Amino acid sequence: MILYGASGHAKVVLDICLKNDIPIKFVLDDNEEIMTLLGLKVSHQYSSEIFKNNKMIISIGNNIIRKKITERVNAIYGMAIHPSSVIDKTVTIGKGSVVMANAVINSSSVIGEHCIINTSSSVDHDCFIGNFAHISPKATLCGGVHVGEGTHVGAGAIVLPNVKVGNWCVIGAGTVVLKDVDDHSKLVGNPGIKI
């Protein structure tokens, strides 16, 4: 596996790969000041050749940056799923996505490409998570929730059943989302209000 990104998020993705006996062949980062990641050498130069026969995960937490990298790097994308996660057999998970420790994804949910389902988050039945979205630690999506592309649901946030959260939204930590949210909105509080 190739990891593109060598920051804090990459450390967790690296740990998941190692727990699944997936060898890390290459760590890449555009920041030339980052030299190592948990003892692995970080490279700053690459060519399309390194992507031909190896799967890659973009191990960067920022949703916009993950999308921009997919637009300029032609790669085969893998997944990283922590062995302690609980994922129903009817769940679909897109390429490039990461599911972290103790996350739960229940029946008939669809996780898009290059998503982060973070530590101890809960995605209940029949949810849809758009590409490049991030469901933060201990966030809860009740049944039938739709989360749009690039949306970040903050730590400990709760989205009530059948609510639709638009594209590229930010749901603040601890926010309780009671009703549908328009694209490009920012919500905070309990109940969640737009700011």
Side-chain angles (χ1 to χ4, degrees), residues 64-192:
I64 294 171
I65 293 174
R66 282 199 314 283
K67 182 171 185 180
K68 286 181 178 178
I69 290 172
T70 64
E71 292 168 351
R72 69 179 172 87
V73 175
N74 185 17
I76 302 164
Y77 291 100
M79 289 187 287
I81 298 175
H82 198 282
S84 71
S85 62
V86 178
I87 302 171
D88 185 81
K89 65 182 179 181
T90 61
V91 169
T92 302
I93 300 175
K95 63 185 181 183
S97 290
V98 177
V99 180
M100 297 193 177
N102 299 315
V104 176
I105 308 174
N106 281 324
S107 180
S108 305
S109 289
V110 175
I111 310 300
E113 298 179 358
H114 305 286
C115 292
I116 300 169
I117 308 301
N118 219 316
T119 308
S120 298
S121 58
S122 176
V123 177
D124 219 308
H125 64 88
D126 300 297
C127 287
F128 175 86
I129 313 296
N131 298 340
F132 308 104
H134 181 173
I135 311 303
S136 292
K138 294 196 176 185
T140 300
L141 306 183
C142 295
V145 168
H146 179 110
V147 174
E149 179 181 275
T151 288
H152 186 172
V153 178
I158 299 170
V159 184
L160 294 188
N162 303 311
V163 167
K164 181 177 181 181
V165 180
N167 299 322
W168 299 100
C169 295
V170 176
I171 307 300
T175 297
V176 179
V177 183
L178 304 177
K179 58 186 180 178
D180 290 357
V181 179
D182 295 331
D183 292 349
H184 305 285
S185 296
K186 293 181 180 179
L187 257 69
V188 296
N190 181 6

